[in-house]
Amino acid sequence: MSQSDSVRIVLASRPEGRPSPQNFRAEHAAIPAIAEGQVLLKVRYLSLDPYMRGRMSAAKSYAAPTEIGQVMEGGTVAEVLESRDPAFRRGDLVLSYSGWQSHAVANGSQLRKLDPKSAPVTTALGVLGMPGFTAYAGLLTIGQPKPGETVVVAAASGPVGSAVGQIARIKGARAVGIAGGPEKCAFVRETFGFDAVIDHRDPDMAGKLAAACPDGIDVYFENVGGHVWDAVFPLLNTFARIPVCGLVAQYNATGDFPGPDRLPVLMRQVLSKSLTIRGFIQREFIAQAPVFREEMARWIGEGAVKYKEDIVEGLENAPEAFIGLLEGRNFGKMIVKL
Ligand SMILES: NC(=O)c1ccc[n+]([C@@H]2O[C@H](COP(=O)([O-])OP(=O)(O)OC[C@H]3O[C@@H](n4cnc5c(N)ncnc54)[C@H](OP(=O)(O)O)[C@@H]3O)[C@@H](O)[C@H]2O)c1
């Protein structure tokens, strides 16, 4: 790559089931010129998030798919190389949505300036960014945990799950996490301070979860679906709230889901236990974002919320890191350093 080159990763083909490196392609291009009101960005950090699997598929969803040949979407922290917007200067660090590429042109109105003295800039992609906000808004608006209640969340070592459990504890609830493998479970208990943690790979996961929730489950923050949901479902209390945030266990699925039709049993329980099951996409709560940033920054400063990042070097390693994220090979907020 020469100094005048930019590199980007585009969607080469749509995956069937698990994505493979062949679904992505690296391309080189000249660094673009900017017009009045625009800013040229050099990406420093790229966020990898499970929702990107949805963009790779042509199936109808809440957002349009990435077209074949288009740059993969994604949130980034970038440095301003050149600016024709008076609000930005060369060297500024900004939060942008410039995708899987080394350079991008953006309008100033699409950027938020970051202050590296107030927090490490990578946190704008994790605990102080979209995933942290998802946890905050989904848990507090839909889950509404009360002191003494039991809150359960899976993918508990990731940026959404870890924030859910820690915020639940700040609100006086018991936090029970579910994570994959002993190392993640120990971290969730010891560093994130959850009251109990269950390994979803344990053959007796359902029994262990029941033992960890002797008073049942009042809030289940749904991040994964699959066999975790099967273990949680019988433990839900009357008036339990279930913010449905994500179903990562199903994102690579093809065809029908295995097992019997669960819908009649689910609907009976929704009725007889007055369950609230409410899906959400974080941006519907975007009006809460300024309050979230202030409150979350304070909790981090007080040590009430901790976070973990998993940083991979090099844009060329983004596809493999993303494939691993969907399978739990990440350990913390998945970020690519360019
Ligand atoms: N609704 C929204 O607006 C919104 C916004 C952001 C994120 N989300 C959703 O929130 C969830 C968590 O996102 P994140 O960024 O914090 O991801 P993450 O936790 O960093 O990564 C996903 C994790 O899911 C777990 N997982 C994968 N397959 C699993 C399975 N079959 N059973 C149980 N766990 C499995 C893995 O952890 P283990 O190794 O512990 O299994 C993996 O590390 C995702 O479903 C995502 O789509 C939704």
Side-chain angles (χ1 to χ4, degrees):
M1 188 168 96
S2 84
Q3 284 290 23
S4 59
D5 258 1
S6 91
V7 62
R8 61 194 180 204
I9 296 185
V10 304
L11 180 64
S13 57
R14 300 203 185 281
E16 274 294 312
R18 179 183 188 269
S20 75
Q22 287 69 41
N23 298 129
F24 305 89
R25 184 176 62 241
E27 292 182 347
H28 292 264
I31 292 178
I34 54 171
E36 201 52 42
Q38 290 186 323
V39 171
L40 177 65
L41 301 174
K42 167 88 184 78
V43 173
R44 295 291 177 207
Y45 296 97
L46 163 69
S47 176
L48 295 181
D49 298 273
Y51 74 82
M52 294 165 175
R53 177 64 184 84
R55 302 291 196 279
M56 296 177 80
S57 160
K60 196 168 161 45
S61 185
Y62 63 90
T66 301
E67 296 302 332
I68 303 292
Q70 258 185 358
V71 176
M72 289 288 297
E73 287 178 33
T76 56
V77 169
E79 183 183 332
V80 172
L81 282 189
E82 203 184 318
S83 174
R84 294 184 67 187
D85 178 328
F88 296 93
R89 286 190 317 187
R90 187 181 164 85
D92 281 347
L93 290 168
V94 295
L95 177 69
S96 68
Y97 196 72
S98 47
W100 297 29
Q101 56 186 341
S102 63
H103 296 77
V105 171
N107 289 322
S109 59
Q110 300 165 325
L111 307 173
R112 180 160 65 80
K113 226 186 262 192
L114 299 172
D115 175 7
K117 289 196 212 86
S118 71
V121 288
T122 49
T123 58
L125 302 174
V127 67
L128 280 168
M130 184 278 284
F133 177 62
T134 302
Y136 176 92
L139 180 67
L140 298 182
T141 311
I142 305 170
Q144 301 181 12
K146 318 257 179 323
E149 287 191 332
T150 298
V151 174
V152 174
V153 64
S157 70
V160 176
S162 60
V164 165
Q166 293 178 90
I167 297 169
R169 283 184 52 83
I170 289 168
K171 299 294 171 188
R174 270 188 85 234
V176 177
I178 299 172
E183 199 190 352
K184 285 186 179 180
C185 288
F187 198 88
V188 169
R189 198 170 37 248
E190 287 155 24
T191 304
F192 294 138
F194 281 46
D195 297 279
V197 190
I198 312 300
D199 187 343
H200 68 78
R201 296 194 201 130
D202 187 322
D204 185 30
M205 191 250 297
K208 299 237 165 81
L209 184 64
C213 302
D215 301 324
I217 297 173
D218 302 293
V219 179
Y220 175 54
F221 192 101
E222 175 62 293
N223 270 340
V224 306
H227 73 302
V228 174
W229 167 252
D230 289 337
V232 163
F233 181 58
L235 304 175
L236 293 170
N237 288 334
T238 299
F239 297 120
R241 287 84 66 198
I242 300 129
V244 181
C245 172
L247 298 166
V248 67
Q250 302 175 13
Y251 293 170
N252 285 340
T254 52
D256 291 335
F257 295 110
D261 179 2
R262 295 166 173 89
L263 190 60
V265 179
L266 171 66
M267 292 305 277
R268 196 168 64 231
Q269 295 295 303
V270 167
L271 174 64
S272 62
K273 288 186 177 171
S274 301
L275 302 178
T276 300
I277 302 181
R278 155 88 147 88
F280 73 101
I281 302 300
Q282 48 81 25
R283 61 173 186 234
E284 73 197 70
F285 300 121
I286 207 69
Q288 300 177 26
V291 180
F292 153 74
R293 282 199 290 270
E294 202 183 301
E295 209 158 18
M296 188 57 110
R298 196 183 70 244
W299 288 335
I300 293 170
E302 290 166 353
V305 170
K306 302 205 165 61
Y307 61 92
K308 182 169 189 346
E309 297 174 334
D310 185 345
I311 299 187
V312 165
E313 299 257 351
L315 184 60
E316 67 281 8
N317 293 317
E320 200 50 60
F322 173 68
I323 293 165
L325 167 72
L326 297 172
E327 297 170 351
R329 273 188 274 133
N330 65 310
F331 190 0
K333 170 66 202 135
M334 190 80 246
I335 292 172
V336 180
K337 184 173 192 286
L338 274 74

